Amino acid sequence: MSSDQINKIASYLLNGEYEKREVVKVTSSIKQDLTLEEAYLVQEEIVRRKLSEGKKIIGPKMGLTSYAKMKQMGVETPIYGYVFDYMLINNGGQLKLSELIHPKVEAEIAFIMGEDVEGPGITGAQVLSATEYVIPALEIIDSRYENFNFTLPDVVADNASTSRVVFGTTLKKPDWIELDLVGAIITINGEIKGLGAGAAVLGHPANSIAMLANMLAKKGKKIKKGDIILSGGITEAVTLQRGDNVTGKFDSLGEVTFTVVE
């Protein structure tokens, strides 16, 4: 794929995000035969542009981390994208619906890295030993594509639908908790909308971070000390509406909350 095509697709997707409007998926509009490798080149261009605008990376994030989702999409590995500083919302803060397109929320466990982790061959046990803390999180995904309709290369190019994140304030050492057994519940306006356990993420959330390290190694990259990494959705993604009061309750990790406003 030429650099002109990469730039064209990156502009197409960034315009959708910044103008807060849906776009037709890339594989139906610009490049029908977009490959996964090419999609990551588009993602890298989007990341490069955001960095050049002065935005800062908080850390990578993983997506499609349940075996059911991978089977549904016909892939053997999850995907990754990047969370930026402008995407952060304070715990207990407000999500502005006017800044997004069609947001959904899911509960996740985030890893705060105490050491660099560089693949290949990284295991979940090595990730846990390199992790400073784990914290609860609510990720708000917001695909730029119409009706969340996309192929795997489409969503990778779109930075894995990354949009907003609310991190909790409870920090726990990873060896204090059996992360695969951590239960999480999302309630909206007091009604349970989603639930699951850490094992939904590749059997154990640390396995997701290990897979990320090994995927990044193929690009000559690594997980860095200080990165805050979303390991993947424990619950299904729940559509948000104006006026929603959203709470994520995590065993041993406390609560994460936000309110959806105009």
Side-chain angles (χ1 to χ4, degrees):
M1 186 164 65
S2 69
S3 59
D4 284 347
Q5 281 184 305
I6 292 171
N7 282 310
K8 182 177 181 179
I9 297 171
S11 296
Y12 179 71
L13 294 172
L14 280 172
N15 288 340
E17 178 185 354
Y18 290 163
E19 295 171 12
K20 308 166 191 66
R21 59 176 175 82
E22 294 179 323
V23 298
V24 177
K25 61 185 178 183
V26 173
T27 54
S28 291
S29 57
I30 300 176
K31 195 174 192 298
Q32 295 183 0
D33 59 348
L34 183 72
T35 68
L36 193 58
E37 183 177 348
E38 290 169 340
Y40 274 113
L41 294 176
V42 174
Q43 184 190 109
E44 288 168 10
E45 173 61 18
I46 286 174
V47 169
R48 187 197 67 75
R49 292 192 194 185
K50 289 186 177 185
L51 291 172
S52 71
E53 293 166 0
K55 299 176 173 67
K56 294 178 180 169
I57 292 174
I58 298 299
K61 59 156 272 187
M62 289 290 276
L64 298 181
T65 50
S66 78
Y67 290 114
K69 284 184 181 178
M70 283 191 284
K71 184 176 181 181
Q72 181 183 5
M73 296 297 289
V75 296
E76 297 180 352
T77 58
I79 61 173
Y80 65 85
Y82 291 91
V83 176
F84 286 84
D85 54 354
Y86 75 94
M87 300 175 173
L88 300 183
I89 295 172
N90 290 332
N91 192 9
Q94 295 182 334
L95 173 73
K96 295 182 179 179
L97 203 60
S98 60
E99 295 181 350
L100 304 174
I101 302 167
H102 40 205
K104 299 182 180 185
V105 62
E106 54 190 28
E108 307 203 14
I109 294 172
F111 287 61
I112 301 176
M113 304 310 299
E115 302 173 17
D116 289 357
V117 178
E118 187 170 6
I122 295 299
T123 65
Q126 289 173 301
V127 166
L128 290 172
S129 68
T131 301
E132 186 72 18
Y133 298 105
V134 291
I135 57 175
L138 291 174
E139 182 186 7
I140 296 94
I141 57 174
D142 190 35
S143 171
R144 269 51 74 170
Y145 300 119
E146 289 180 343
N147 302 316
F148 271 81
N149 178 19
F150 48 72
T151 67
L152 189 67
D154 285 308
V155 69
V156 167
D158 190 34
N159 192 27
S161 303
T162 313
S163 176
R164 298 289 186 272
V165 179
V166 188
F167 290 120
T169 54
T170 304
L171 287 77
K172 292 287 181 74
K173 293 288 187 181
D175 54 359
W176 293 356
I177 308 172
E178 293 183 77
L179 293 174
D180 54 334
L181 301 182
V182 170
I185 297 173
I186 288 180
T187 64
I188 296 181
N189 304 323
E191 183 179 347
I192 294 176
K193 293 292 187 178
L195 53 87
V201 181
L202 298 177
H204 192 292
N207 294 336
S208 175
I209 308 301
M211 194 169 286
L212 171 65
N214 295 329
M215 293 167 74
L216 290 175
K218 294 177 182 178
K219 297 264 190 180
K221 300 177 182 178
K222 63 182 178 180
I223 290 170
K224 299 176 183 177
K225 177 180 179 179
D227 278 349
I228 306 176
I229 307 172
L230 294 170
S231 58
I234 294 174
T235 64
E236 62 266 41
V238 182
T239 300
L240 294 170
Q241 307 288 340
R242 186 178 296 106
D244 282 346
N245 291 300
V246 184
T247 300
K249 299 180 179 180
F250 297 76
D251 293 342
S252 305
L253 287 172
E255 293 187 358
V256 185
T257 67
F258 67 90
T259 302
V260 184
V261 299
E262 187 72 38

